[in-house]
Amino acid sequence: MSRPTLCRFYLRTWGNCERDVLFTRRSQVRSFSNSVPAGSGHNKWSTIKHTKFANDAVKNLTAMKHSRAIIAAAKIGGPDPNSNARLYNAIEVAKRASVPKKTIESAMRRAAGIGSGDGKMLENVTYEAIGPGAAAIVIEALTDNKARTVTSVRTCLTKLACQLGPAVFYFDRKGVIRIIRRVPPAEESDQVSQTPIDFDEIFEHAIEAGAEDIEAFEPDEEPEGVDEAGLPVYQILTDPVDTAKVAQELKDSYGYDIKEMGIEYVPKKESAIELTDSQGETMRKLVASLNEIDDVQDVYTNAR
């Protein structure tokens, strides 16, 4: 029979009660297409869309943090990068993070105004903490709401059994200049730029330029933000007020490529603390968590 057939049966169930059960049998229906119908789920655009939105969110957060750093540096030391080491470094770090030139210029213009762009003042705040293995931690932040920032910082510390506490006396406030190579003359081969710098030579030049100390890092332990595989990194320490002058002298007189410069908290050598593997992992998680806070700009520790 081609049409659906209706059959009615009467069944006697438990308790001598009758139940009417209706069975329906339908004829089979043939599809006009042999392809398998697509079920609900993620298509290609859905995947691309979600990935794009996530990437855009990260880019926006990165641009915002760098903009705030530029604004703070310009308001503290003036709008001229050549005489303001902190501003110079903030701009260079932003460029390496692929922050658009338009965003950097906008931050510079906003620095001439009041602050964050919505009428709120931006303030530099420093928090001290005791981390895993009793390691000292200094956290620099730029915020328009101190209560919000300290709550976020304290939450990160508490989650990993750490706490706010005195720590800054384990550090010296120093100007820091990091160099990897010399800039090769235009007529020379690019291979010159990949030739490691001789330590004795750069030590002599740094002292003549007014530096206080210099140390070398191997490529696998180079400071964060300096990414040149295979070449040692030289970290030059100066008095904070002389940072820009020393960097300019090394660049103009000796041809060194200044990869990074700024004013930082440098741990005192006698205060360095060796962490166990588990303590080191906790420290890495803590630093990563702190850096995810919008207001946090830099995190320093005396842990090794």
Side-chain angles (χ1 to χ4, degrees):
M1 186 177 294
S2 59
R3 294 181 302 172
T5 303
L6 228 55
C7 300
R8 186 179 298 274
F9 297 92
Y10 291 92
L11 303 177
R12 187 171 297 279
T13 59
W14 297 281
N16 295 322
C17 63
E18 295 183 350
R19 181 173 297 173
D20 194 4
V21 182
L22 181 65
F23 294 93
T24 303
R25 184 176 62 196
R26 300 182 182 276
S27 61
Q28 294 182 347
V29 179
R30 297 193 62 174
S31 173
F32 289 102
S33 173
N34 291 326
S35 61
V36 179
S40 61
H42 296 291
N43 57 26
K44 185 177 181 181
W45 165 239
S46 296
T47 304
I48 295 173
K49 177 178 64 177
H50 292 305
T51 303
K52 181 178 184 299
F53 289 165
N55 291 340
D56 288 346
V58 172
K59 289 180 180 179
N60 291 337
L61 177 60
T62 300
M64 182 184 70
K65 295 190 73 168
H66 286 294
S67 294
R68 290 161 70 94
I70 291 171
I71 292 171
K75 290 179 70 64
I76 292 171
D80 184 7
N82 295 324
S83 59
N84 184 345
R86 183 167 183 167
L87 177 58
Y88 178 91
N89 182 62
I91 293 174
E92 290 302 311
V93 171
K95 289 178 179 178
R96 287 198 295 274
S98 300
V99 175
K101 181 180 179 180
K102 183 178 179 181
T103 301
I104 296 175
E105 293 175 347
S106 175
M108 292 289 290
R109 289 193 298 269
R110 285 166 55 191
I114 293 180
S116 62
D118 54 6
K120 297 181 180 179
M121 286 292 296
L122 290 173
E123 297 181 74
N124 285 285
V125 289
T126 302
Y127 303 103
E128 303 170 58
I130 304 300
I137 302 172
V138 174
I139 304 158
E140 286 191 309
L142 180 64
T143 181
D144 55 16
N145 187 327
K146 290 182 179 179
R148 178 195 66 217
T149 306
V150 72
T151 299
S152 299
V153 169
R154 186 180 285 114
T155 299
C156 288
L157 293 169
T158 303
K159 285 182 178 180
L160 293 170
C162 304
Q163 61 185 354
L164 293 172
V168 75
F169 52 84
Y170 291 111
F171 300 82
D172 289 320
R173 191 69 167 160
K174 293 291 183 181
V176 178
I177 304 168
R178 296 189 178 100
I179 294 173
I180 292 179
R181 56 183 171 83
R182 279 186 172 182
V183 179
E187 66 273 9
E188 295 187 14
S189 168
D190 290 341
Q191 293 181 353
V192 176
S193 64
Q194 300 301 321
T195 302
I197 300 171
D198 180 72
F199 180 83
D200 293 334
E201 180 184 32
I202 191 173
F203 179 84
E204 181 181 345
H205 292 163
I207 297 301
E208 289 179 358
E212 295 180 355
D213 197 7
I214 181 173
E215 58 183 328
F217 294 92
E218 292 303 316
D220 59 348
E221 59 178 4
E222 62 187 14
E224 184 179 357
V226 182
D227 185 17
E228 292 284 343
L231 295 177
V233 177
Y234 295 94
Q235 179 169 284
I236 299 169
L237 303 180
T238 73
D239 187 283
V241 298
D242 294 333
T243 308
K245 182 189 72 174
V246 173
Q248 198 68 37
E249 178 71 14
L250 290 171
K251 181 179 179 180
D252 294 344
S253 299
Y254 304 107
Y256 290 110
D257 182 14
I258 309 300
K259 300 301 294 183
E260 195 172 44
M261 61 179 285
I263 313 298
E264 301 180 5
Y265 284 96
V266 179
K268 298 176 181 177
K269 293 181 179 180
E270 64 273 14
S271 74
I273 291 180
E274 294 285 347
L275 299 182
T276 64
D277 290 343
S278 61
Q279 291 170 344
E281 182 61 27
T282 301
M283 178 63 80
R284 283 189 287 272
K285 290 180 180 179
L286 176 59
V287 172
S289 180
L290 289 169
N291 280 322
E292 288 178 358
I293 300 174
D294 292 349
D295 300 331
V296 170
Q297 299 296 313
D298 291 295
V299 179
Y300 306 97
T301 177
N302 66 341
R304 291 181 177 175

